Amino acid sequence: MPRPRSLTTTQIATAALAVLDREGLDALSMRTVAKELSMGTMSLYRYVSDRDELEGLVVDLVLQAIDVTVPRGSAAERLSVLADRVRIAVSRHPAVVPLLLMHRHRVPSSIRWGETMLTVLTDAGLTGKRRAIAFRTIVGYVFGALQVEHFGALSGAGTAALADLPPEEFPILSETAAQARSIPPEEEFRQGFDILLRGLGL
């Protein structure tokens, strides 16, 4: 009888991400990942305890693509680059978006990104509660913007429906939605983040 295969967490995460990219989040399970790895489901349990752990591995793998070195420039410029790196990494695997907030606090790649962001905030003179709130606000914007883009893109049906509202009843909403339909997601993200930074005084 051949010896059981030996798998790394990276191999398992890569297989799980392949399932997500191809079939979506609802298809992610111990069974589908085991099938992707050409092994039995019970064999996969030797390495991963459940779907929750699989999700964490996938989030970590996606966020590993983020360069966490501090870029040059002002604090605002550095924070903008670091935030945009998350958007770029996640946009390659949109099915992972719903998992980000659930697992960001426990996966190493997310923790490293958080440490880098906090380093920039500290260098900019933010400490104590102000730094904590600034960081929380940034996290809320970055991950929230990705959720909004995933579930309700400006180019999607929701914006189209708002643009078609009767202008005599909703003049500003319908006009705004009609204009918003042509805004690319990267422009929406970056300009929104610029507004946040100005609010933080950076």
Side-chain angles (χ1 to χ4, degrees):
M1 178 181 291
R3 295 180 61 187
R5 294 174 59 188
S6 179
L7 294 174
T8 66
T9 54
T10 298
Q11 289 173 313
I12 296 169
T14 300
L17 184 58
V19 172
L20 271 179
D21 287 343
R22 186 177 63 244
E23 302 176 47
L25 181 57
D26 289 343
L28 183 66
S29 67
M30 297 292 284
R31 181 183 61 79
T32 56
V33 174
K35 182 179 178 182
E36 187 74 20
L37 290 163
S38 301
M39 66 191 305
T41 303
M42 295 310 297
S43 297
L44 183 58
Y45 278 100
R46 293 175 51 220
Y47 304 94
V48 183
S49 59
D50 53 24
R51 174 177 158 149
D52 185 66
E53 187 176 353
L54 271 180
E55 292 177 355
L57 291 175
V58 170
V59 171
D60 192 39
L61 181 64
V62 169
L63 297 186
Q64 281 175 24
I66 301 168
D67 178 4
V68 293
T69 57
V70 178
R72 295 180 181 275
S74 65
E77 290 168 337
R78 287 182 285 167
L79 291 167
S80 294
V81 170
L82 289 165
D84 204 47
R85 288 174 184 172
V86 176
R87 182 192 64 79
I88 292 168
V90 173
S91 66
R92 298 183 185 123
H93 306 282
V96 82
V97 167
L99 304 178
L100 293 173
L101 284 176
M102 289 187 290
H103 298 282
R104 68 166 189 84
H105 63 286
R106 60 178 178 152
V107 300
S109 53
S110 176
I111 293 170
R112 284 191 292 270
W113 177 80
E115 179 69 16
T116 303
M117 295 294 278
L118 283 166
T119 298
V120 176
L121 289 171
T122 303
D123 290 346
L126 277 69
T127 58
K129 288 184 179 179
R130 187 177 176 218
R131 180 175 59 194
I133 292 171
F135 177 67
R136 181 78 169 175
T137 301
I138 288 172
V139 169
Y141 175 82
V142 171
F143 288 95
L146 290 168
Q147 299 265 351
V148 169
E149 171 62 21
H150 181 70
F151 291 110
L154 287 179
S155 59
T159 310
L162 294 174
D164 288 338
L165 289 171
E168 63 277 8
E169 190 174 358
F170 304 100
I172 300 176
L173 181 55
S174 60
E175 178 187 4
T176 302
Q179 294 168 340
R181 295 176 69 180
S182 63
I183 300 174
E186 60 273 13
E187 181 180 350
E188 178 189 6
F189 183 92
R190 290 169 180 163
Q191 290 202 21
F193 196 72
D194 286 345
I195 292 170
L196 181 151
L197 290 173
R198 290 198 296 272
L200 292 173
L202 297 171

